[in-house]
């Protein structure tokens, strides 16, 4: 029986990961940056310009969004530490997407490297 760790390791052996040092360049060259974490994680801070699609809904959202249908889109994705992003990247490859990269170390590595983080402004009521 395989564990989650086994599935992530297998996915990582079949996808392309980009280092945090090269992530900004990969993001700039991409058509879309996807944050596949949960909504509360995204809301607490994310990479600027990232579009949120939770890992659990990824295949469904991509299948139902005409703007995301072209299989030659350049997609960069990330999660907290890179496990969910690896599984997501593998799923995208299986769906026929040709240019998918995952950020090694995920959001935590991005933030630890001192890169910019977007945080939504809290709502103010008066």
């Amino acid at each position: 029986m395989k564990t989650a760790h086994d599935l992530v390791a297998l996915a990582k052996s079949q996808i392309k990961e980009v280092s945090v040092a090269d992530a900004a360049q990969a993001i700039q060259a991409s058509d879309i940056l996807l944050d596949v974490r949960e909504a509360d994680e995204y809301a607490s801070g994310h990479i600027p310009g990232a579009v949120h699609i939770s890992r659990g809904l990824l295949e469904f959202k991509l299948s139902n969004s005409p703007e995301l249908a072209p299989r030659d889109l350049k997609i960069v994705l990330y999660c907290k530490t890179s496990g969910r992003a690896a599984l997501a990247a593998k799923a995208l490859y299986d769906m026929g997407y040709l240019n998918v990269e995952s950020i090694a170390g995920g959001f935590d590595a991005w933030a630890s490297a001192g890169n910019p983080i977007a945080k939504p402004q809290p709502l103010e009521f008066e």
Side-chain angles (χ1 to χ4, degrees):
M1 181 167 55
K2 291 183 182 180
T3 66
H5 182 269
D6 295 333
L7 294 173
V8 169
L10 178 62
K12 286 189 174 201
S13 73
Q14 299 174 348
I15 66 164
K16 181 177 181 189
E17 279 193 306
V18 61
S19 69
V20 171
D22 295 331
Q25 183 179 355
I27 291 167
Q28 187 174 26
S30 72
D31 295 310
I32 188 165
L33 172 62
L34 294 178
D35 182 326
V36 298
R37 298 176 300 156
E38 295 301 314
D40 61 328
E41 293 174 291
Y42 178 83
S44 69
H46 55 272
I47 297 175
V51 173
H52 176 252
I53 302 178
S54 295
R55 168 69 193 102
L57 297 175
L58 185 65
E59 295 88 342
F60 300 104
K61 292 253 185 179
L62 290 172
S63 294
N64 293 311
S65 299
E67 66 275 9
L68 300 175
R71 296 312 197 245
D72 61 347
L73 282 175
K74 292 179 183 171
I75 301 171
V76 174
L77 43 81
Y78 68 93
C79 65
K80 180 174 172 49
T81 59
S82 74
R84 287 175 283 178
L87 296 172
K90 174 66 169 91
L92 294 183
Y93 281 127
D94 290 346
M95 291 177 73
Y97 287 91
L98 304 171
N99 302 303
V100 180
E101 295 178 316
S102 173
I103 299 175
F107 181 78
D108 286 358
W110 173 270
S112 292
N115 290 306
I117 297 170
K119 292 187 180 182
Q121 296 297 319
L123 295 175
E124 294 184 25
F125 299 98
E126 291 189 37

